[in-house]
Amino acid sequence: MRKPSAPPSYVPHCAHYVSYVLTVLDRLVPAGTRCALIGAPLNSNVGDSAIWLGQRALLDALGADVRYACDLMSYDAGQLAACLPDGPIMLTGGGTLGDLWEDSQLLREQVLRDFPDRRIVQLPQSVHFTDHANLTRARRVFDAHPDLTLLLRDRHSLHRCRAVFEAPSLLAPDLAFAVPPDALTGGTIAHDVIWLAREDKESAKGPPAGRGTARKERGGPYVFDWTREGEDTDWRRAKEALWRSRARALCRAASGDPPGAVPALLAAYDGLARLQLACGCRLLAAGRVTVTDRLHGHVLALLLGLPHVLLADRYGKARSYWDTWPTHRPPTTEWAWTEAEARQRAGALLAGLRPERRGELREKPHRTRTRHRTGTVPGD
């Protein structure tokens, strides 16, 4: 078996995650493979954008050639067959395989039904089903496919899938660790503590300062969720331009040239993901310490070298990931079960920053933080 090459660029202090997932994927994606990639993100969840960019970098490193790509709204089995008469189909990694996000799960199942003769690889996911009927339906579809492989990013999900599904299940880290460093932008330090708090069904108790627009509690952290759209005019114009590029590529595909549309479509997907990720990085970099119940808040904080506290979410996804990958975590990374514990641990991290840095940042709260390619802050 050939030794997979590392992506041309990645954050060195997270290289162990990249090496691990490359070793797993190398068994499934031989060099020069022509493949399809299903599920490009169009939402405002920064984590999904990070995963997409990581997937793209890893497939490039493996020598794979993406001949078809689609998002949740643009999947077309006929176009996929025209672009890729044979070859594996990769289902994007991400949030949760199961019925928490039903549209994504239904798309997975449809692809499995449409292509029973192809190798299909579900890229790393967590797993959670709330309704047994949905699990039964998924088991029926998954077990009927003769060449499906499931990659799971935590041991709880791995054991669950091995107990429920017949398809081979393998452990692999989250693909966001392969994000190219040039997509990880810096930002301006404006707050002592920021709190990236989920406002969706996976939130354990809701943001600590209540729901609504980002706000600063008196004497407390700056609270926000990164699924809210940015207000910067240039950012919105750039996003609208990329959406138009996507629409033109889809029109070309529908007009009878799906293979010719793929490069422009991939460029639009990549551009949207980079734009969304840059926004998320700026938000995270605005705090000297971060608290979050978002798994990809934790992943991006590791990539950026930010002191942070990971807090429990509603369904245990964050804790399962935390327990699965205990090595290589820096001492500036903490776990908390409750809001009160998260506040205490964030305060301790804040107090532990170098005194000269604390004074410097108080005097210059809007200094731009610039990072090296390693993702660390100069002087830290």
Side-chain angles (χ1 to χ4, degrees), residues 185-191 194 280-288 290 304 306 369 371:
T185 60
T188 300
I189 300 173
H191 310 283
I194 60 168
C281 289
R282 286 194 298 271
L283 289 168
L284 287 178
R288 294 166 58 209
T290 297
L304 293 166
L306 300 176
R369 174 185 279 159
R371 306 185 190 287

Side-chain angles (χ1 to χ4, degrees), residues 136-155:
T136 300
R137 185 196 69 226
R139 182 193 295 123
R140 185 166 54 249
V141 175
F142 283 22
D143 289 354
H145 198 283
D147 195 3
L148 168 66
T149 300
L150 303 174
L151 303 185
L152 293 314
R153 62 186 180 186
D154 64 81
R155 293 193 184 279

Side-chain angles (χ1 to χ4, degrees), residues 113-130:
R113 292 191 193 96
D114 289 342
F115 293 94
D117 58 337
R118 303 289 188 93
R119 165 169 288 182
I120 297 184
V121 179
Q122 172 60 69
L123 295 168
Q125 287 270 2
S126 301
V127 174
H128 186 87
F129 284 88
T130 58

Side-chain angles (χ1 to χ4, degrees), residues 73-85:
M73 298 185 291
S74 65
Y75 169 68
D76 186 306
Q79 290 181 7
L80 194 161
C83 293
L84 188 74

Side-chain angles (χ1 to χ4, degrees), residues 4 32-33 58 66 76 82 84 104 114 120 145 173 182 222 230-231 307 312 343 368:
T33 295
L58 288 164
V66 178
D76 186 306
L84 188 74
S104 296
D114 289 342
I120 297 184
H145 198 283
D182 63 2
Y222 182 75
E231 298 179 355
R343 289 176 183 272
T368 299

Side-chain angles (χ1 to χ4, degrees), residues 150-162:
L150 303 174
L151 303 185
L152 293 314
R153 62 186 180 186
D154 64 81
R155 293 193 184 279
H156 175 78
S157 296
L158 178 70
H159 298 327
R160 178 71 167 150
C161 283
R162 286 180 172 174

